[in-house]
Amino acid sequence: MQAKPLLVLACLLLSVTACGSAGPTGSSAPAGTAAAPSTPAGARPASTAEPVREGYDPARNAKADIAAALAQAKRDGRPVLLDFGADWCPDCVVLGRTFRSAEVRPVLARYHVVSVDVGRFDHNIRLARRYGVNLETSGIPALAVLSGSGKVRTVTNDGSFATARSLSPARVAAFLKRWR
């Protein structure tokens, strides 16, 4: 009956490394991220006063969502937070919960947040690259902060959010405060 412990160990290892790796050629990376909502193309963008919605919607037009967030940012001066991830990723799900926590939600409200689905590292990859996100080194979730003009202020290519389940809300809030 030694096969069962090996199977459990294999499943655990797959679960732990799933988010941090961009596939067979990618590398695992440590750390945390933010997941936030986006607005359907053609629809009025959600107010940042609304709670952060759950998940990454593969049917959304991420390019249009980012354009809408940048237009709002130009008007009000708040930065845009791009959150690249996927619903199958446990760390992305944890980051989403952390974004909705009492400690992080007020800080996140100072951003326009767009969640961008990356599928199984086969969706919106060009869009990630456009904003300087290297999913092979960052894993997911990966974040990028943009100024109102669309200039990239920072990206988490060091994998600092790829193990979001190990990040405290205080650490996520500190990251967001630094870049607002």
Side-chain angles (χ1 to χ4, degrees):
M1 289 279 170
Q2 286 186 319
K4 188 173 180 180
L6 290 176
L7 180 59
V8 170
L9 179 60
C11 289
L12 180 63
L13 287 172
L14 283 173
S15 167
V16 169
T17 61
C19 295
S21 173
T25 61
S27 64
S28 286
T33 126
S38 52
T39 308
R44 197 177 107 242
S47 161
T48 53
E50 294 178 13
V52 174
R53 285 180 253 152
E54 294 183 38
Y56 302 83
D57 184 352
R60 293 192 61 81
N61 182 339
K63 210 179 221 181
D65 290 342
I66 293 169
L70 285 170
Q72 284 184 302
K74 222 174 205 177
R75 287 191 297 274
D76 63 21
R78 290 187 309 195
V80 174
L81 177 68
L82 304 181
D83 171 27
F84 294 89
D87 287 339
W88 58 263
C89 169
D91 288 297
C92 298
V93 173
V94 168
L95 183 62
R97 273 190 245 133
T98 302
F99 279 168
R100 292 184 301 279
S101 72
E103 189 168 352
V104 175
R105 193 175 43 238
V107 180
L108 195 61
R110 297 178 181 159
Y111 285 86
H112 295 287
V113 183
V114 179
S115 293
V116 180
D117 177 73
V118 298
R120 297 243 178 228
F121 298 97
D122 60 356
H123 192 224
N124 289 317
I125 302 307
R126 283 187 183 157
L127 196 55
R129 278 192 218 122
R130 177 179 178 185
Y131 293 104
V133 177
N134 180 344
L135 294 172
E136 288 186 12
T137 60
S138 69
I140 57 173
L143 304 177
V145 177
L146 312 177
S147 69
S149 65
K151 181 180 177 187
V152 176
R153 295 171 69 185
T154 191
V155 295
T156 60
N157 283 334
D158 62 353
S160 58
F161 280 86
T163 57
R165 66 187 111 178
S166 69
L167 297 176
S168 68
R171 190 158 170 204
V172 172
F175 172 85
L176 294 170
K177 286 176 184 175
R178 181 175 179 203
W179 293 105
R180 64 173 168 217

